[in-house]
Structure formats: C-alpha cells, structure tokens
Amino acid sequence: MKKIIIIEDDISIHNVLKELLKNEGYNISNAYSGTEALLLLEKEKYDLILLDLMIPGVCGEEIIKKVSDTPIIVLSAKISSNDKVNCLLSGASDYITKPFDSKELFARIKVQLRTKNNVPKTLTYKELELLNDKHTLLISNEKINLTKTEYAILKQLLLNPKQVIAKNKLLDLISIDTEDCDENSLRVHISNIRKKLRDYTNNEYIESIWGIGFKLKD
C-alpha cells in the first residue's frame, strides 16, 4: 500500500483529502504544520507528499528545499506564475491550485507514483552518472550543476539512450518535472547542457536529428 503524507493546516480540506485518498486505497499520515511534517519525514519514508504552502511553523517552500527523494505535489491557493515556477524549480514535482478537482488530483498522484517506481535510482551513460534519487549529475565523481529543466531533459535522454526522442514527445515527458519549457526554449536548454558536459569531458553527448528531435550520441 502506497504511503502518502498530507501536510495541510486547514482541517476541512485535510479531512476531505484524507477520506478521498483512504477510499482509493492509500495509507495516509497527517501533519498540520511544517514543523510536525519535518519530524514525521525524518522518522518515516513516504511514497508521496501532498503539501500546502501556507502552513504554520516551517513554511511549505522550505519543506520543498529540504526534501530531495520523495515526489511532492503542492496544493495551494497561491495562483501566481512566480509561485508555481519557484516551487517547481526548488524541487516540487507538480503544482495544483485550490480549489482542485479530485479526479485530476488522483490522476496526478498516479503519474508521480508511476514515475517514481519506473525510474532507476542511477542512470549511467559513458562518463555520465545521474543519481535520480538525489537529482544529481556526476562526471568522474564530480558534481555538475544543472537547472531543473536541464536535469529533466537529460534524464529522459538517459532513460532512452538508443532512441531519437521527438521534440514534442520530449516536451511532454519533461512536463511532469517542469513547466517552464517550450519548443523554442528547448533548444536553448539543450545547448546549455551540451556546453556544461563539454566543459567537463570535451565530448559531445547530445545529437540533434534534423527535423525530428534529439538522442544521445553513440
């Protein structure tokens, strides 16, 4: 049974979420403040976190920064693009504004749980080592700094090392992890990844397939 922790100080929303998710067969834990949540997260391993941002004690944004190995779906009344982007760049997996539709929430939960189960903890290709559970790229044991979008792109290429991934498909695949990428900016992110990898290896790792998309270079 998958374990989900609800971090929400609004009692009515909290209780509704708890009942809905229990009816779906999930094992639910409850935290009503950020401080309480961090104590539970230190003691217990969860498959997913549902997180409100405006909670007493440690705020939701700080919890996102402290958690690196568990998918986080933010449920918030904050609707500005800046709030969404900042949370996603800090490490949140998804962002849903309140009020939310329960069917959409269930679908997004299933996506996150499926993604977590299917992705290996470590992805390797030649000199590259992607530690997926830590969101870290290593080259010869040296950590390479990537943005959230760069990391998401490289992860999909490493998951499909022999395949050409069409641009539209790549954008769809990384949409789970980031919302700040479109077809125009994709080229810029790819260029930035290439430069960072070249600076450390002197090798080209990503090949453009004209008119189609991208693949890892053999």
Side-chain angles (χ1 to χ4, degrees):
M1 184 182 294
K2 298 297 182 183
K3 297 171 66 175
I4 298 175
I5 180 170
I6 301 170
I7 307 173
E8 167 68 71
D9 67 322
D10 186 306
I11 301 297
S12 59
I13 294 176
H14 198 126
N15 289 340
V16 168
L17 284 170
K18 181 167 62 175
E19 287 304 310
L20 287 172
L21 293 170
K22 280 186 174 181
N23 290 339
E24 290 293 307
Y26 296 112
N27 185 339
I28 303 301
S29 293
N30 309 289
Y32 298 89
S33 72
T35 307
E36 181 185 9
L38 289 177
L39 289 173
L40 290 173
L41 290 167
E42 287 177 3
K43 297 177 182 178
E44 194 73 37
K45 182 72 175 176
Y46 296 95
D47 296 293
L48 182 76
I49 297 169
L50 294 180
L51 174 66
D52 182 28
L53 297 179
M54 296 182 288
I55 49 178
V58 181
C59 68
E61 288 89 347
E62 288 301 312
I63 290 176
I64 293 171
K65 294 175 183 177
K66 293 177 182 293
V67 176
S68 60
D69 58 350
T70 306
I72 299 174
I73 297 179
V74 173
L75 302 174
S76 178
K78 294 184 176 182
I79 61 174
S80 77
S81 296
N82 284 339
D83 288 320
K84 295 178 183 179
V85 169
N86 289 338
C87 285
L88 293 167
L89 290 177
S90 295
S93 304
D94 203 348
Y95 194 111
I96 303 176
T97 55
K98 298 175 181 177
F100 51 85
D101 179 79
S102 60
K103 290 182 180 179
E104 180 184 359
L105 175 61
F106 294 153
R108 296 196 185 204
I109 287 172
K110 288 177 181 178
V111 166
Q112 292 303 325
L113 293 176
R114 182 171 67 241
T115 301
K116 180 185 179 186
N117 290 338
N118 290 342
V119 177
K121 287 187 176 180
T122 302
L123 297 168
T124 58
Y125 188 80
K126 297 182 180 179
E127 299 168 88
L128 308 183
E129 185 177 12
L130 201 72
L131 308 180
N132 195 54
D133 57 339
K134 297 181 180 179
H135 282 247
T136 300
L137 172 65
L138 300 178
I139 297 179
S140 301
N141 290 322
E142 186 166 358
K143 184 177 179 181
I144 313 303
N145 292 320
L146 298 176
T147 67
K148 187 178 181 69
T149 302
E150 291 167 0
Y151 182 92
I153 292 168
L154 187 58
K155 181 176 76 172
Q156 292 303 326
L157 291 171
L158 289 170
L159 283 168
N160 304 276
K162 302 295 184 182
Q163 298 179 18
V164 177
I165 306 180
K167 287 177 284 187
N168 286 341
K169 182 177 180 181
L170 184 55
L171 288 169
D172 185 53
L173 289 169
I174 68 173
S175 66
I176 296 173
D177 298 312
T178 180
E179 294 182 353
D180 72 336
C181 193
D182 55 27
E183 189 167 327
N184 291 327
S185 63
L186 178 62
R187 297 187 185 91
V188 177
H189 291 300
I190 292 285
S191 177
N192 290 338
I193 297 170
R194 282 174 170 152
K195 183 180 185 304
K196 290 179 180 181
L197 298 183
R198 196 185 305 122
D199 287 345
Y200 283 90
T201 68
N202 295 318
N203 294 323
E204 292 291 343
Y205 272 91
I206 302 176
E207 182 178 359
S208 298
I209 308 301
W210 190 84
I212 302 176
F214 305 93
K215 69 180 292 290
L216 288 179
K217 195 176 182 69
D218 295 329

